[in-house]
């Protein structure tokens, strides 16, 4: 079922676990998340980037996610979130379309402008009951990238604290050592996370969750991470499986036969993340369907 993100997060904060925010790109990856959520007995956040919205269309995206959440995920609570929204226009459209949470990523702007734009989004979103994620210190890399080493600048903890106080965001993302994609030198700076969490009580969102070793993910959750974004691992599972299926079945023309193994591969990746994040077996009680 489709629920408001706040209902999921409050339970995760109380229970000391993290919820996966999974980047989807098509119907098949949405099905993969829903099937994993049912199998794991887990909550989930389905998130779309502007690129995914451009590919599927905003209305189809909201309708597909909502109907899959209702009919495939059945009792599994799922929230819909905009990932890395780059403009007021995009977040406005997603709020109007029924998202319960939006990310305004103005982290590439000068700090004061980031605060100004994020605050504007918070004013609009809160008047509609929608949550806002802000970002300080841009997270480098790109969804789906697989590389050697990359330069990973980190956020200034004092700026993160000031940003949260001045903007009133509901969740906060900040560069703490991870990158989008999978890179050899990615890590979670637990000391930086500790400094931020000592002053910032709202949920912390860890971006760039692919490529981080399991033990570090567990420590990050202990350190106060309540949402973990996973994009690249999903893209890779889907595409590598599709390539192999096509190679093994060169005469097959039925897209359903070619793509079914990819849905299963996505389900598998997400199921394992749900177990790792501790969200498996956590359906918050008393949720109201939106
Ligand atoms: O915003 C989405 C994520 O931060 C995904 O990062 O591709 O490294 O899993 P990832
Ligand atoms: Zn991200």
């Amino acid at each position: 079922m489709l629920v408001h993100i706040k209902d999921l997060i409050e339970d995760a904060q109380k229970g000391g676990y993290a919820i996966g925010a999974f980047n989807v790109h098509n119907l098949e990856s949405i099905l993969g998340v829903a099937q994993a959520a049912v199998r794991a007995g887990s909550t989930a956040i389905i998130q779309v980037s502007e690129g995914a919205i451009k590919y599927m269309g905003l209305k189809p995206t909201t309708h597909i996610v909502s109907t899959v959440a209702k009919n495939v995920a059945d009792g599994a609570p799922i929230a819909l979130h905009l990932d890395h929204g780059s403009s007021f226009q995009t977040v406005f459209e997603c709020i109007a379309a029924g998202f319960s949470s939006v990310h305004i990523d103005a982290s590439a702007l000068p700090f004061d402008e980031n605060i100004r734009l994020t605050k504007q989004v918070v004013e609009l979103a809160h008047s509609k009951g929608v949550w806002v994620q802000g970002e300080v210190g841009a997270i480098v890399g790109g969804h789906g990238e697989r590389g050697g080493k990359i330069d990973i600048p980190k956020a200034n903890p004092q700026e993160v604290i000031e940003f949260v106080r001045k903007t009133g965001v509901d969740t906060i993302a900040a560069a703490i050592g991870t990158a989008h994609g999978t890179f050899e030198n990615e890590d979670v700076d637990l000391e930086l996370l500790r400094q931020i969490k000592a002053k910032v009580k709202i949920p912390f969102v860890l971006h760039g969750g692919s490529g981080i070793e399991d033990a570090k993910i567990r420590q990050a959750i202990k350190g106060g991470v309540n949402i973990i974004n996973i994009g690249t691992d999903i893209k890779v599972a889907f595409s590598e499986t599709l390539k192999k299926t096509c190679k093994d079945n060169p005469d097959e023309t039925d897209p359903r036969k070619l793509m079914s193994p990819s849905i299963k591969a996505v389900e598998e990746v997400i199921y394992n993340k749900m177990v790792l994040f501790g969200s498996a077996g956590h359906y918050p009680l008393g949720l109201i369907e939106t």
Side-chain angles (χ1 to χ4, degrees), residues 21 23 47 83-84 103 133 135 139 142-145 178-182 186 206-211 228-235:
N23 284 87
Q47 61 182 7
D83 187 33
H84 292 286
H103 174 200
Q133 180 183 137
E135 180 169 329
I139 290 127
H143 295 173
E145 282 184 23
T178 59
H180 292 133
T182 52
E186 277 190 80
L206 186 71
H207 279 247
S210 303
I228 302 177
N229 285 10
I230 299 291
T232 300
D233 284 347
I234 296 171
K235 268 191 174 169

